[in-house]
Amino acid sequence: MSSSNFSSATSQIIRVGGCTETDLTPISFWEFRRLISYGELDGLIIAAAARSDFAKQVVQICKLYQIPNVGVLSTQGIYWLNMYKIFVPYLESDITEKCNLNCAGCCHFANFSVAEDFYPIENFRRDMSRIAQTCDVLEFHLLGGEPFTLKNLDEYLIVARQCFPKIRLVLVTNGTLIPTLPQKILDALRGNRFELYISLYPPTAKMLNKIEARLKENGIPYKIERIVKSFEAQMTLNNGHNPAKTVARCRCGSGRSIRNGKIYKCPIDAAAYKFAAKFNIKSFSQPTGIDIYAPNFSSMIERLDNPVELCYWCAEDYRKIPWQPTNNPRLEDWFADPDELKNFL
Ligand code: SF4
Ligand code: SF4
């Protein structure tokens, strides 16, 4: 779309943010507010990371002023929003809870999945189709557990690309199963234009040459994250803190997590039911998933912009625990201050 597609003589395409990938003149947030309140704006391109709150804030203001042409600049180009849809810039999904590494303190609680627990492909297909119809999503990540433990992962990749033909799709993995992956999974990654984010755990680092060779052979783009030497244990029983501070620290931002027909504020909230069951914590927070099929889904999802009940269980400060695999997960692996547990349970 170019500026000539816009409807009035005052149309402008203006870039808010610091990205330098276009030759449009950037403006500050305050200049944007001035132009919009004077009615001098009917088009806008936002340059901001999908997961940041910034793009969401700007889109909310544009909806309020009924600005018709709003695009978001990403590595895929400019994504023009449908202003009647719900803006969910970043979405992720744990498609399986099974993992082959079992790290102590895993914040997706993958290290005590007793049976293979996964997002059934039929539910995934139905939910993705609903999200594509109702929401503008800029970036979607599939993760787990370890997604490569799913034998039919190729079906999830195909569904995701069919529902979101234009956006950035990422699969997050610990990488250790890549050297032995069936060819059909590698073909589906490449064919559906997925990028891989590889979390560099110590076992991953040991086999990195083999992993990179296999991905290069198959033309699959990937990014190696920083080596993971420790995890952040962040739960607390002390609910006297300000949950807005914990949300700012945890950097979940505008990211949302989808699982079996519901959208959650973060992956921890989506999986926390397992934690309560495993350690028999009767008073644990109730998950705050928003039903994506509810008639008032679009207004309900705004609740997730505020802290949810589980945010009171996240401490303002965390404790670093060294990375290690475990067959014996302990409650204190998740707690910022294990002394809090002395009189608990
Ligand atoms: S590799 Fe990731 S998902 Fe698997 S147990 Fe470790 S932290 Fe959890
Ligand atoms: S529960 Fe709240 S504070 Fe904790 S990780 Fe999720 S969003 Fe962040």
Side-chain angles (χ1 to χ4, degrees):
M1 183 184 280
S2 73
S3 57
S4 61
N5 295 105
F6 292 173
S7 54
S8 81
T10 58
S11 297
Q12 298 184 61
I13 297 182
I14 296 178
R15 185 160 65 93
V16 181
C19 180
T20 54
E21 287 170 26
T22 79
D23 52 7
L24 300 172
T25 309
I27 60 165
S28 70
F29 183 72
W30 303 112
E31 175 66 355
F32 155 69
R33 291 300 306 255
R34 190 189 70 75
L35 287 167
I36 209 165
S37 59
Y38 282 96
E40 291 179 16
L41 198 65
D42 67 2
L44 185 79
I45 294 172
I46 305 163
R51 209 166 177 158
S52 76
D53 284 329
F54 180 75
K56 201 161 173 179
Q57 249 180 32
V58 175
V59 170
Q60 273 165 353
I61 296 168
C62 289
K63 284 189 174 176
L64 197 66
Y65 283 87
Q66 300 182 329
I67 304 298
N69 304 298
V70 180
V72 184
L73 188 63
S74 74
T75 49
Q76 322 292 298
I78 297 170
Y79 183 99
W80 293 99
L81 302 181
N82 177 335
M83 299 308 272
Y84 296 102
K85 286 187 172 182
I86 307 161
F87 184 50
V88 184
Y90 172 93
L91 189 64
E92 64 180 33
S93 183
D94 289 3
I95 50 174
T96 176
E97 288 168 14
K98 187 177 173 187
C99 187
N100 59 328
L101 283 193
N102 295 331
C103 314
C106 169
C107 67
H108 294 231
F109 311 118
N111 59 343
F112 56 76
S113 286
V114 280
E116 186 164 347
D117 189 7
F118 57 93
Y119 198 156
I121 184 68
E122 306 75 34
N123 298 6
F124 183 76
R125 185 177 288 114
R126 196 180 62 230
D127 293 350
M128 291 309 112
S129 156
R130 167 77 174 158
I131 292 296
Q133 282 163 12
T134 52
C135 302
D136 269 323
V137 177
L138 302 180
E139 191 164 326
F140 183 41
H141 290 205
L142 299 186
L143 55 164
E146 172 48 53
F148 286 135
T149 59
L150 278 176
K151 300 267 180 293
N152 63 339
L153 176 63
D154 50 328
E155 295 180 49
Y156 292 80
L157 305 178
I158 291 166
V159 167
R161 183 49 83 196
Q162 280 172 345
C163 291
F164 304 110
K166 292 184 189 158
I167 70 169
R168 182 180 212 184
L169 295 178
V170 173
L171 185 129
V172 183
T173 170
N174 66 42
T176 52
L177 298 175
I178 290 174
T180 53
L181 273 183
Q183 190 60 40
K184 70 164 186 171
I185 303 291
L186 293 160
D187 292 345
L189 283 165
R190 190 184 53 254
N192 292 289
R193 292 176 283 119
F194 264 78
E195 291 169 50
L196 288 192
Y197 283 2
I198 301 174
S199 311
L200 195 55
Y201 296 101
T204 318
K206 280 189 191 153
M207 59 198 306
L208 193 55
N209 289 347
K210 282 186 188 164
I211 292 170
E212 292 197 272
R214 191 99 200 270
L215 294 175
K216 282 178 185 158
E217 266 166 30
N218 284 278
I220 297 167
Y222 63 92
K223 184 170 111 182
I224 310 279
E225 306 278 13
R226 274 180 309 173
I227 188 154
V228 180
K229 291 188 177 158
S230 61
F231 280 9
E232 296 172 1
Q234 62 172 14
M235 283 199 186
T236 181
L237 298 175
N238 172 12
N239 62 8
H241 60 276
N242 178 356
K245 277 193 183 173
T246 62
V247 172
R249 183 187 61 71
C250 79
R251 300 184 295 273
C252 283
S254 294
R256 298 287 174 259
S257 189
I258 183 163
R259 181 74 194 266
N260 276 330
K262 290 188 173 172
I263 287 192
Y264 297 84
K265 184 167 181 70
C266 70
I268 305 183
D269 203 23
Y273 70 95
K274 284 202 308 177
F275 184 72
K278 164 79 180 167
F279 295 106
N280 196 21
I281 311 175
K282 297 196 175 53
S283 57
F284 201 62
S285 114
Q286 294 300 309
T288 324
I290 303 296
D291 182 351
I292 63 172
Y293 299 97
N296 55 350
F297 165 48
S298 66
S299 57
M300 298 268 286
I301 195 172
E302 288 173 12
R303 285 192 196 171
L304 301 182
D305 293 341
N306 300 316
V308 294
E309 192 185 342
L310 188 65
C311 301
Y312 286 93
W313 288 75
C314 284
E316 287 179 23
D317 295 312
Y318 57 83
R319 173 177 64 104
K320 274 196 174 180
I321 59 169
W323 178 85
Q324 57 181 342
T326 179
N327 291 321
N328 178 29
R330 300 162 313 160
L331 187 54
E332 58 259 42
D333 294 341
W334 284 270
F335 272 78
D337 177 6
D339 284 348
E340 282 185 343
L341 295 169
K342 279 183 184 156
N343 298 317
F344 185 62
L345 297 178

